[in-house]
Amino acid sequence: METYEILKDLAIILFFAKFFAVVAKHFKAPQVVGEIIAGLILGPCVLGLLHQTDFITEMAEIGVILLMFSAGLDTDLKELIKTGPVALLIACFGVFIPLILGTILYMGFYGFAPWGSDEFYKAVFTGTIMTATSVSITVASLQEMGKIKSKVGTTIVSAAIIDDVIGIIVLTFVIGFKDPASHPTSVIWKTIVFFAVALVGGYIVYRIFSMLDKRYPHTRRIPIVSLAFCLLLSYVAEKYFGIADITGAYVAGIVLCNLSDNEYIERKMDVSSYMLFGPIFFVSIGLKTSFDSMDIHFLAFCIGFVVVALLAKIVGCGLISRLCKYNWSDSLKIGVGMMTRGEVALIISQKGLSTGLISADYFTAVILLILISSIATPLLLELLYARDEKHLKSAGV
Amino acid sequence: METYEILKDLAIILFFAKFFAVVAKHFKAPQVVGEIIAGLILGPCVLGLLHQTDFITEMAEIGVILLMFSAGLDTDLKELIKTGPVALLIACFGVFIPLILGTILYMGFYGFAPWGSDEFYKAVFTGTIMTATSVSITVASLQEMGKIKSKVGTTIVSAAIIDDVIGIIVLTFVIGFKDPASHPTSVIWKTIVFFAVALVGGYIVYRIFSMLDKRYPHTRRIPIVSLAFCLLLSYVAEKYFGIADITGAYVAGIVLCNLSDNEYIERKMDVSSYMLFGPIFFVSIGLKTSFDSMDIHFLAFCIGFVVVALLAKIVGCGLISRLCKYNWSDSLKIGVGMMTRGEVALIISQKGLSTGLISADYFTAVILLILISSIATPLLLELLYARDEKHLKSAGV
């Protein structure tokens, strides 16, 4: 392929993404929903104008990393430390409820399977796919609504980060039972070491950046080197610790969130993000969707899979939030905010495919889950916040 | 390759590019020189830490397009129309002097060749490679010095654009003599049609954008849709008219340069450019360089090739500028500004390789020319402008 061919793809993505984002905004829906729908329309599902290429995948990866870095930068560190224990609890329930319900769903469709049988592992794997929240869409909508720094926002983001990690640990255990070559305990160790390294290394990096920032405030070198640090930590997380690169990006943001030039850095990231990388990421979600190998029975399974996956998070995370003394409205927001799935679900499915636990058809179910949760979460969050404001107003009167 | 591998490359590029840019600035050299040197050090020449990948090539392509779009946006349209005829004249001399001197150089090294022989075409082709100015480095340094909008800046940029086009026409003629399948007259037609379409279509696009801009001033949709337009025009130029995509990007910038939100758009482009795409483009120039297949005779030829290519532009463009009533200092600046070569020289070489006119070794000479001209041009321009200011100051005293 000639290099200039990418220009056409990018031009189409930008035109359509912005057009549908404006349409979405017109209907009071979050703009990211418009961008995902743009991808759906451009992709193999409808027009077939665009196809997933390596370049689009790579640009989308940078897009989601910029998004998570920006969310990290926007973190209120005190709030994070305060919400930490609760977030851990929410994350645990957010993993185990979907895991159990997913297993039951599979057995409901394909018959009960005794402990240790192949079918049993397939059932458990169906639950495993449902475990990992992908917070990027939620982050984007919370940012759009200006709620990312709120208590609810911080809780969701940190719970989702923890739940990603727990999801990966569960995955390794499930595969570990089937395939003795993977070592579940080493995964736990690696995770602990990563966060220890991030804590110590992060503090050193923060001191260096503070010094740089004091000497050269508001210069381009600050955001550029910050971005380099974010990319490096994302890479190291994924490559050496088996932790999702987006988690690395978020941690990098947290490391730098107390810099005095924090807002300056974030503004530069935001421009890069919304000018090009963001739209590519959201459009690429829609691009991945295709309904070629669909029959009635599998369609029913897909619908069940999506419904169970969404409800499991709302119920699991929402109820435990209520028990942790969030009010009903905030608990519901946390449950809804945690229900989005993304690339981690795809990564887990990919892993299941390569170890023979699931067939390729499963991807349709997973992508459907990603797509529907990505569209539903922002819409529901918008509604929930709008309802709150209405209540506040009527209380004010 | 796993997608996350690109993160490492990008992190390394950003770290090193910014570090060497700061070092360059410290020594009062333009930052782009630092970034190119960073690429040289990271690449196969020195450390071998980084290699040219598809992804880097594609990102670099977007980088140079953003640069040219930005230069177009920054154009003073009245100045452009005023300098147009002079620029055309400068471009013609900037093509024909290198063409003749390059041909003579080849014959000097490899013996005189009679008209129409294979060796004769090789000699002419050596000259052809020298013809096309690549203005991106000059644009970047003029932008850094704040001189892009000056009369000299506008003259250089428009002459370089015209000279690109003439270079491509010469290429088609040279190949046309060897290979009857290519049609030199169709190239001229396509070029005329492209500029006609750009003029008419550009006016319509400008009216639409003016309307949009009046209704939604300072909204994100303006720069995003502008970028989409730029990418589309770049693609169309290259794909359907055989004109370099960077020329399309520059023309797109000119179309929008009179919008009232012009500066707002440019600021957004600049952030995306210097945060990521710019450094990748400049580093990638250094990455391409390698000195594996070098012997004494070829080294001598390379040196001759570089020296002749640089001097031919300075003399050709400089003298004709002087005749067009620029003063000596400005004429020299125009000559120096026109001497950078870039991707168009590589494209021409690639074409020569595929039609069997030159061997792959030639690439070393071309890359050396690109590298040296890319480093020398900004340095010399900086010196020339600094000398001017000194003169002005002492005149003021």
Side-chain angles (χ1 to χ4, degrees):
Chain A
M1 198 180 79
E2 295 284 348
T3 308
Y4 62 78
E5 292 289 338
I6 58 168
L7 305 175
K8 183 184 65 175
D9 290 357
L10 293 185
I12 292 176
I13 289 176
L14 287 182
F15 264 128
F16 276 74
K18 199 61 216 173
F19 178 75
F20 282 93
V22 169
V23 171
K25 203 178 171 185
H26 183 79
F27 289 106
K28 304 224 182 306
Q31 302 201 32
V32 292
V33 173
E35 296 183 350
I36 297 169
I37 291 175
L40 205 60
I41 292 175
L42 288 171
C45 273
V46 185
L47 294 179
L49 255 176
L50 266 187
H51 296 272
Q52 195 76 15
T53 63
D54 280 353
F55 184 68
I56 292 179
T57 309
E58 288 157 343
M59 293 290 279
E61 190 74 15
I62 299 176
V64 64
I65 282 175
L66 284 179
L67 212 58
M68 294 306 291
F69 184 46
S70 195
L73 281 171
D74 220 351
T75 306
D76 182 334
L77 203 56
K78 278 185 200 146
E79 191 69 39
L80 178 69
I81 292 166
K82 226 169 62 190
T83 55
V86 176
L88 179 62
L89 209 62
I90 294 174
C92 287
F93 273 75
V95 166
F96 290 106
I97 305 286
L99 183 61
I100 292 165
L101 292 185
T103 309
I104 294 173
L105 173 82
Y106 184 90
M107 293 190 181
F109 266 86
Y110 296 100
F112 175 75
W115 179 275
S117 66
D118 264 14
E119 277 296 298
F120 175 77
Y121 284 121
K122 282 190 183 175
V124 174
F125 203 81
T126 306
T128 309
I129 296 175
M130 291 185 184
T131 58
T133 292
S134 183
V135 80
S136 44
I137 305 278
T138 306
V139 162
S141 1
L142 288 172
Q143 272 179 340
E144 218 181 305
M145 293 186 272
K147 302 288 184 194
I148 188 97
K149 254 188 161 148
S150 68
K151 194 178 162 197
V152 170
T154 311
T155 309
I156 294 176
V157 179
S158 40
I161 292 295
I162 302 170
D163 130 332
D164 246 27
V165 174
I166 303 179
I168 298 287
I169 295 174
V170 170
L171 168 74
T172 325
F173 268 97
V174 173
I175 290 181
F177 281 117
K178 255 222 114 182
D179 168 22
S182 80
H183 303 289
T185 48
S186 94
V187 174
I188 296 178
W189 267 116
K190 274 185 178 175
T191 306
I192 293 171
V193 173
F194 172 75
F195 281 98
V197 168
L199 203 72
V200 178
Y203 183 73
I204 299 170
V205 168
Y206 172 72
R207 300 300 306 180
I208 297 174
F209 268 85
S210 294
M211 225 171 55
L212 267 177
D213 202 8
K214 216 168 263 170
R215 277 188 70 171
Y216 313 101
H218 278 56
T219 51
R220 289 181 181 182
R221 66 191 75 175
I222 307 284
I224 294 176
V225 178
S226 305
L227 178 57
F229 168 64
C230 155
L231 293 167
L232 194 68
L233 195 60
S234 309
Y235 172 75
V236 168
E238 178 105 34
K239 173 87 177 179
Y240 299 106
F241 296 94
I243 285 170
D245 50 5
I246 55 171
T247 303
Y250 180 69
V251 172
I254 290 177
V255 166
L256 302 178
C257 76
N258 271 347
L259 280 187
S260 57
D261 251 350
N262 168 26
E263 269 183 45
Y264 177 73
I265 302 174
E266 216 197 313
R267 218 160 44 230
K268 303 297 171 193
M269 297 303 149
D270 278 356
V271 173
S272 308
S273 181
Y274 74 70
M275 282 301 297
L276 197 58
F277 294 104
I280 296 176
F281 169 62
F282 294 113
V283 165
S284 80
I285 295 175
L287 280 186
K288 281 185 196 133
T289 316
S290 136
F291 302 111
D292 284 348
S293 61
M294 192 64 91
D295 63 20
I296 288 290
H297 187 248
F298 190 60
L299 179 68
F301 174 74
C302 286
I303 293 171
F305 182 83
V306 172
V307 171
V308 168
L310 298 185
L311 286 182
K313 284 277 181 186
I314 299 184
V315 172
C317 301
L319 280 185
I320 196 77
S321 304
R322 185 69 190 98
L323 287 178
C324 293
K325 294 183 183 156
Y326 285 80
N327 63 33
W328 275 113
S329 164
D330 284 352
S331 304
L332 193 55
K333 277 178 213 147
I334 293 175
V336 169
M338 295 289 287
M339 79 185 190
T340 32
R341 310 303 206 287
E343 50 298 325
V344 183
L346 280 177
I347 292 167
I348 294 180
S349 315
Q350 185 60 49
K351 206 96 187 174
L353 187 67
S354 65
T355 47
L357 273 166
I358 55 165
S359 67
D361 290 347
Y362 255 71
F363 274 86
T364 313
V366 176
I367 285 165
L368 219 58
L369 170 59
I370 294 174
L371 189 74
I372 292 173
S373 65
S374 303
I375 295 177
T377 304
L379 288 174
L380 286 174
L381 282 178
E382 176 94 31
L383 278 177
L384 289 170
Y385 273 106
R387 203 188 54 171
D388 264 18
E389 267 168 37
K390 219 169 123 190
H391 276 274
L392 274 179
K393 262 191 198 156
S394 60
V397 173
Chain B
M1 199 180 78
E2 294 283 348
T3 309
Y4 62 79
E5 292 289 337
I6 58 168
L7 304 175
K8 185 184 65 177
D9 291 357
L10 293 185
I12 294 176
I13 288 176
L14 287 182
F15 263 129
F16 276 73
K18 197 63 214 172
F19 178 76
F20 282 93
V22 169
V23 171
K25 201 178 174 186
H26 183 78
F27 289 105
K28 303 222 184 305
Q31 303 202 34
V32 292
V33 173
E35 296 183 350
I36 297 170
I37 292 177
L40 206 59
I41 293 176
L42 288 171
C45 273
V46 185
L47 294 178
L49 255 176
L50 265 188
H51 298 272
Q52 195 76 15
T53 62
D54 280 354
F55 183 67
I56 293 179
T57 309
E58 289 157 342
M59 293 290 277
E61 189 75 14
I62 298 176
V64 65
I65 281 175
L66 284 180
L67 213 57
M68 294 305 293
F69 183 46
S70 196
L73 281 172
D74 221 351
T75 305
D76 183 334
L77 204 57
K78 278 186 201 144
E79 192 69 38
L80 178 71
I81 291 165
K82 223 169 63 192
T83 56
V86 176
L88 178 63
L89 209 62
I90 295 174
C92 287
F93 274 75
V95 165
F96 290 105
I97 304 287
L99 182 62
I100 292 164
L101 292 184
T103 309
I104 295 173
L105 173 82
Y106 184 90
M107 293 191 181
F109 265 86
Y110 297 100
F112 174 76
W115 180 274
S117 67
D118 265 14
E119 277 298 297
F120 175 77
Y121 283 120
K122 281 188 184 176
V124 174
F125 203 81
T126 307
T128 309
I129 296 175
M130 291 184 183
T131 56
T133 293
S134 181
V135 79
S136 44
I137 306 278
T138 306
V139 163
S141 357
L142 288 172
Q143 271 179 340
E144 217 182 307
M145 293 187 274
K147 303 286 184 197
I148 188 95
K149 255 188 161 149
S150 67
K151 193 177 163 197
V152 169
T154 310
T155 310
I156 294 177
V157 179
S158 41
I161 292 295
I162 301 170
D163 131 332
D164 246 29
V165 174
I166 303 179
I168 298 287
I169 294 173
V170 170
L171 167 74
T172 323
F173 268 98
V174 173
I175 290 182
F177 281 118
K178 257 222 110 184
D179 168 22
S182 79
H183 304 287
T185 47
S186 95
V187 173
I188 296 178
W189 268 116
K190 273 184 178 176
T191 307
I192 294 170
V193 173
F194 173 75
F195 282 98
V197 168
L199 203 73
V200 178
Y203 182 74
I204 298 170
V205 169
Y206 172 73
R207 300 301 306 180
I208 296 173
F209 269 85
S210 294
M211 223 170 56
L212 266 178
D213 203 9
K214 215 168 263 170
R215 276 187 70 169
Y216 313 102
H218 279 55
T219 50
R220 290 182 179 180
R221 65 192 75 174
I222 305 287
I224 294 176
V225 178
S226 305
L227 178 57
F229 168 65
C230 155
L231 293 167
L232 193 69
L233 194 60
S234 309
Y235 172 75
V236 168
E238 179 105 36
K239 174 88 178 180
Y240 299 105
F241 296 94
I243 285 170
D245 50 5
I246 55 173
T247 303
Y250 180 70
V251 172
I254 290 177
V255 166
L256 303 178
C257 77
N258 271 347
L259 279 188
S260 58
D261 251 350
N262 168 26
E263 270 184 44
Y264 177 74
I265 302 174
E266 216 197 315
R267 220 161 44 232
K268 303 297 171 192
M269 296 303 150
D270 278 355
V271 173
S272 307
S273 181
Y274 74 71
M275 282 301 297
L276 197 58
F277 294 103
I280 296 176
F281 169 62
F282 295 113
V283 164
S284 81
I285 295 175
L287 280 186
K288 281 185 196 131
T289 317
S290 138
F291 302 111
D292 284 349
S293 62
M294 191 65 93
D295 63 19
I296 289 289
H297 187 250
F298 190 61
L299 179 67
F301 173 75
C302 285
I303 293 171
F305 182 83
V306 172
V307 171
V308 168
L310 298 185
L311 287 182
K313 284 279 179 184
I314 298 183
V315 172
C317 301
L319 281 185
I320 196 74
S321 305
R322 185 70 189 98
L323 288 179
C324 294
K325 295 185 181 156
Y326 285 80
N327 65 32
W328 275 113
S329 165
D330 284 351
S331 304
L332 194 55
K333 277 178 215 147
I334 292 174
V336 168
M338 294 288 289
M339 80 185 189
T340 31
R341 309 303 206 287
E343 51 298 322
V344 183
L346 280 176
I347 292 166
I348 294 180
S349 314
Q350 185 59 49
K351 205 94 188 173
L353 187 66
S354 64
T355 47
L357 273 164
I358 57 165
S359 67
D361 291 347
Y362 254 72
F363 274 87
T364 314
V366 176
I367 284 164
L368 220 57
L369 170 59
I370 293 173
L371 188 73
I372 293 174
S373 65
S374 304
I375 295 176
T377 305
L379 288 174
L380 286 175
L381 281 178
E382 175 94 31
L383 278 177
L384 289 171
Y385 274 106
R387 205 188 53 172
D388 263 18
E389 266 168 38
K390 221 170 123 191
H391 276 273
L392 273 179
K393 261 190 201 158
S394 59
V397 173

